Amino acid sequence: MTAIRKERQGQDMALTAGIVALIVIFSLLPMARLLQEVILPGGQFSLDVIRNGLIDDTTWRATWNTLVVGLGGTIFALVLGVAVAILVSLSDVRQRQAFVLCFVTPLMIAPQVTALAWLQLFGPSSPLLNMLGMAPPLGTRNPLYSPEGIVFLLGIQYAPLVFLIVRAGMRKLPRELVEAAQSSGAGWVRVLGTIILPLMTPSIVGAAALTFVSCVGNFGIPAFLGIPANYLVLPTLIYQRLAGGGPDVLSEVAFLSVLIGVIAMVGIVMQDRIASRRDFRITSTSLPAAPYQLGVWRVPVEFGMWVLIAFILVLPLVGLILTSLVRGYGVTLSAETATLENYYFVVFQHAAASRAFLNSLYLSAGASIFAVFVAIPLGYVIAWGNKRWIKALNLAIELPYALPGVVLAIASLLLFLKPMPITGIQIYNTVWIILYAYLARFLILAVRPTITGYFQLDRALEEAAQVAGAGLFTRMRTIIFPLIAPAAIAGGLLIFMTALCELTVSALLWSSGSETIGVVIFSFEQGGDSKYAAAVSAIMVATTFLLMLLASLFANKLPDGVLPWRD
């Protein structure tokens, strides 16, 4: 018995040590290195970096612009996302599953692809407007090159995020409260204003905080729409300074990264303060609220919802696809002028694009596979563990994803600027530094559904095996892994789709030979080759949508809530 007890203790200690090492490597170490560069540049305490950053007018202007587009995009996303969540969750509209799939799709598409699609819908080079004879004269400024355009696209990009969070909260809405108010004579609007929205305050506030952080850290949309208009936000300012100065400006961009992180954390702290002012707990559980009967308004409401899908998803994708078929700038698209040469060029002839497809495929697959195998023991400790430090562990895993991606990118640059100690391995300016950043940033996307799977799993089998003398690793291999693998694999699929066309991190970490698809799309658009950028983007949109449909086929085998676009 003593030997068995020692073996169990040894396995528990090994699991704990592995998890702690993982958190240190992928979360704490890069953040500590970032702070060190700001406070201890060159190994000596100095406030010069902070002082120089604070007296720079460009820093303050970019900070103000970041706040403007962050708040504007958050408000727009909240209004749209909450309204759609109310209609889908509390009314009797039909075809809701198909609608949810279409409404959530923009969130699955990379921001730079969204920006490119909308840019090709307007402006003098729009193939759609040219076909309709409505295109403005060549040389006319695209109306999306403006702060308003950035706010508009950020709102469309993250309205699905608000929708998913608020809808999840509405599933817990107690039916008896709504029915009691209705039986007292309260109309639907009064019930919505006095019961539903107040109870949904935590979900709405949480969605607002997460959306604000996402807007503040977004690089793709401000880069495509803001750089041509000379409207810089902090992520694009970091990109420009790093591209122009290289490693010599790392201390400066480290300060800017910390500044973005501070802004994001302020948003999260404000969310906690607002949510803690009142007690929003629901003390009873019941069936979800009965759907409100729209009656004669159902058809007009459904029509309006599908018009919304046509506007936010179909039209920009049509503009993107039409652009990928034109031969050159300003050419009117017709049966005679349409061509597939742009697709052939980016897939077979352009060396960087061909290399980027493979790099992104390997990086996304590597990050996904790593996350699946790591998420299972991590989720086991978080969901079924009883240690005091579990909450801190969860927060540490969340940190690289909760903070804007540009923060992790700069931290990774600083961490691997020199060869790694002892081994002397150099991953700076290689594809491996991008992989490291992906592993750190996207791990939580696999951990969350895995934890959900653990909570929905009966622990009796694992406990029976433990009583029978099976060690931790044996239980993990023979019982836990087979049962929880579907949830972890679904999380891995989310990572694959997210990382496949990622730009925020890779734009700051790529070098010649380590281009990613996101970087190639950005480079094509910056170089004026919109037709090639559109061709690559169209391929990636089709890939993303096919992956979503493939995952939906196996939705019945997954725990509830694992796939965000499925009930």
Side-chain angles (χ1 to χ4, degrees), residues 18-33:
I19 290 175
V20 170
L22 192 77
I23 298 305
V24 170
I25 293 172
F26 290 108
S27 180
L28 302 182
L29 196 58
M31 297 301 113
R33 181 64 183 90

Side-chain angles (χ1 to χ4, degrees), residues 38-107:
V38 175
I39 301 174
L40 300 170
Q44 296 182 346
F45 177 77
S46 174
L47 297 178
D48 290 343
V49 174
I50 300 176
R51 187 181 302 109
N52 294 335
L54 292 177
I55 63 176
D56 188 350
D57 291 339
T58 306
T59 299
W60 287 110
R61 187 161 57 251
T63 302
W64 172 254
N65 293 343
T66 301
L67 292 173
V68 168
V69 300
L71 290 172
T74 299
I75 293 171
F76 185 22
L78 277 177
V79 172
L80 182 58
V82 171
V84 173
I86 291 172
L87 285 174
V88 170
S89 303
L90 303 179
S91 71
D92 62 340
V93 293
R94 295 164 293 187
Q95 301 295 324
R96 68 184 69 227
Q97 189 60 68
F99 175 82
V100 169
L101 176 64
C102 294
F103 186 75
V104 172
T105 297
L107 184 63

Side-chain angles (χ1 to χ4, degrees), residues 192-209:
L192 182 65
T194 58
I195 295 178
I196 295 174
L197 289 180
L199 288 176
M200 290 301 102
T201 299
S203 297
I204 294 174
V205 173

Side-chain angles (χ1 to χ4, degrees), residues 221-237:
I221 291 175
F224 274 67
L225 275 59
I227 291 178
N230 197 28
Y231 188 86
L232 296 180
V233 295
L234 286 172
T236 52
L237 177 62

Side-chain angles (χ1 to χ4, degrees), residues 171-176 285-290:
R171 289 196 180 102
K172 303 176 183 178
L173 190 68
R175 184 170 186 162
E176 60 270 15
T285 58
S286 65
L287 294 173

Side-chain angles (χ1 to χ4, degrees), residues 179 182 228 246 290 310 325 351:
E179 292 179 346
Q182 290 175 336
L325 299 175

Side-chain angles (χ1 to χ4, degrees), residues 245-389:
D248 294 336
V249 298
L250 280 177
S251 295
E252 181 181 346
V253 297
F255 168 75
L256 295 176
S257 301
V258 171
L259 185 57
I260 297 177
V262 169
I263 294 174
M265 294 306 296
V266 168
I268 295 174
V269 170
M270 289 181 64
Q271 169 222 339
D272 291 337
R273 293 289 299 273
I274 294 173
S276 63
R277 289 183 178 179
R278 291 177 57 188
D279 190 351
F280 298 96
R281 286 176 296 178
I282 298 173
T283 57
S284 62
T285 58
S286 65
L287 294 173
Y292 180 78
Q293 304 298 317
L294 294 175
V296 296
W297 289 100
R298 185 163 74 166
V299 173
V301 169
E302 290 173 344
F303 178 76
M305 293 171 64
W306 285 106
V307 167
L308 175 66
I309 294 300
F311 180 71
I312 68 173
L313 180 63
V314 178
L315 271 180
L317 291 184
V318 167
L320 185 71
I321 294 171
L322 293 180
T323 301
S324 69
L325 299 175
V326 299
R327 295 183 182 275
Y329 180 83
V331 175
T332 301
L333 186 65
S334 64
E336 291 76 22
T337 60
T339 180
L340 294 176
E341 291 179 0
N342 299 328
Y343 289 93
Y344 183 82
F345 176 79
V346 299
V347 174
F348 299 108
Q349 293 184 329
H350 193 274
S354 303
R355 190 165 53 241
F357 279 112
L358 293 177
N359 286 341
S360 291
L361 180 63
Y362 293 151
L363 288 170
S364 303
S368 302
I369 295 171
F370 173 85
V372 166
F373 284 98
V374 170
I376 292 177
L378 268 176
Y380 178 87
V381 172
I382 295 174
W384 288 353
N386 54 6
K387 304 293 184 181
R388 294 181 179 179
W389 45 267

